[in-house]
């Protein structure tokens, strides 16, 4: 009933929302959930274009010793290739390596594939959008523009008034 108050009505009650009983602990209903997801994707004709330039989102990012800044990316559209020039937030880079979820190096990552990317200039924030640019020059210019915008917005916050302290 609480979900129905939010506008989610189950199919059994004449709605369009699919409900499945699932338990991660006992693994009950996981197969049915996956089956329902595939069925819904087929009915809605969800497809991604693998030939366009890739976009995706940073899931997590860290600074690893020996590898430098790395980020786990979920590719949303297009295909990400080793050697692509990318921009994510104020950071840019040329992809040196793509590592899949099993730790193997791959040459490309298609839609809905999570990969760890190496070759960024810094550690991006999780949730930042990743975009492939046509050239490294374009990526650098966009990253510099975003850095300047970030600095300008921080400057406006500081210029808004003096900081109030406990004293």
């Amino acid at each position: 009933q609480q979900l129905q108050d939010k506008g989610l009505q189950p199919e059994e009650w004449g709605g369009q929302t699919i409900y499945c009983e699932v338990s991660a602990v006992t693994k009950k209903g996981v197969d049915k959930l996956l089956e329902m997801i595939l069925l819904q994707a087929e009915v809605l004709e969800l497809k991604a274009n693998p030939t366009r330039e890739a976009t995706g989102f940073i899931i997590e990012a860290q600074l690893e010793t020996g590898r430098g800044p790395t980020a786990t990316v979920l590719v949303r559209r297009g295909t990400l290739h080793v050697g692509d020039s990318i921009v994510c937030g104020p950071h840019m880079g040329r992809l040196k390596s793509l590592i899949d979820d099993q730790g193997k190096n791959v040459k490309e990552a298609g839609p809905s594939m999570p990969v760890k990317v190496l070759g960024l200039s810094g550690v991006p924030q999780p949730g930042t959008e990743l975009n492939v640019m046509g050239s490294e020059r374009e990526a650098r210019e966009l990253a510099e523009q975003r850095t300047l915008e970030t600095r300008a917005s921080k400057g406006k916050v500081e210029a808004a008034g003096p900081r109030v302290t406990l004293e």
Side-chain angles (χ1 to χ4, degrees), residues 68-84:
T70 64
T72 303
V73 176
L74 182 61
V75 179
R76 188 167 159 220
R77 292 189 195 118
T79 302
L80 198 58
H81 302 276
V82 172
D84 283 346

Side-chain angles (χ1 to χ4, degrees), residues 69-139:
T70 64
T72 303
V73 176
L74 182 61
V75 179
R76 188 167 159 220
R77 292 189 195 118
T79 302
L80 198 58
H81 302 276
V82 172
D84 283 346
S85 296
I86 59 168
V87 145
C88 48
H91 305 290
M92 57 83 57
R94 188 169 192 91
L95 292 181
K96 294 178 186 175
S97 178
L98 295 173
I99 303 170
D100 68 2
D101 57 338
Q102 297 171 352
K104 298 177 186 173
N105 283 335
V106 293
K107 293 185 180 186
E108 59 183 30
S112 77
M113 183 175 179
V115 288
K116 183 179 282 193
V117 298
L118 281 71
L120 293 169
S121 62
V123 180
Q125 292 292 319
T128 306
E129 186 174 3
L130 176 135
N131 293 306
V132 172
M133 303 300 290
S135 69
E136 195 169 349
R137 183 179 52 79
E138 290 177 22

Side-chain angles (χ1 to χ4, degrees), residues 3-79:
L3 289 173
Q4 189 172 3
D5 292 341
K6 300 287 184 189
L8 298 172
Q9 191 172 10
E11 286 181 326
E12 290 85 24
W13 295 358
Q16 294 183 348
T17 307
I18 298 173
Y19 284 78
C20 296
E21 286 188 43
V22 179
S23 171
V25 176
T26 63
K27 297 188 170 98
K28 175 187 171 195
V30 174
D31 292 334
K32 181 168 172 66
L33 176 65
L34 292 173
E35 183 181 318
M36 290 293 118
I37 291 172
L38 291 174
L39 176 68
Q40 192 71 5
E42 189 176 316
V43 168
L44 294 174
E45 296 180 4
L46 300 178
K47 293 182 177 23
N49 183 359
T51 58
R52 67 175 289 195
E53 290 184 339
T55 62
F57 289 99
I58 305 294
I59 298 172
E60 64 180 357
Q62 61 274 345
L63 187 61
E64 293 184 21
T65 55
R67 289 186 173 176
T70 64
T72 303
V73 176
L74 182 61
V75 179
R76 188 167 159 220
R77 292 189 195 118
T79 302

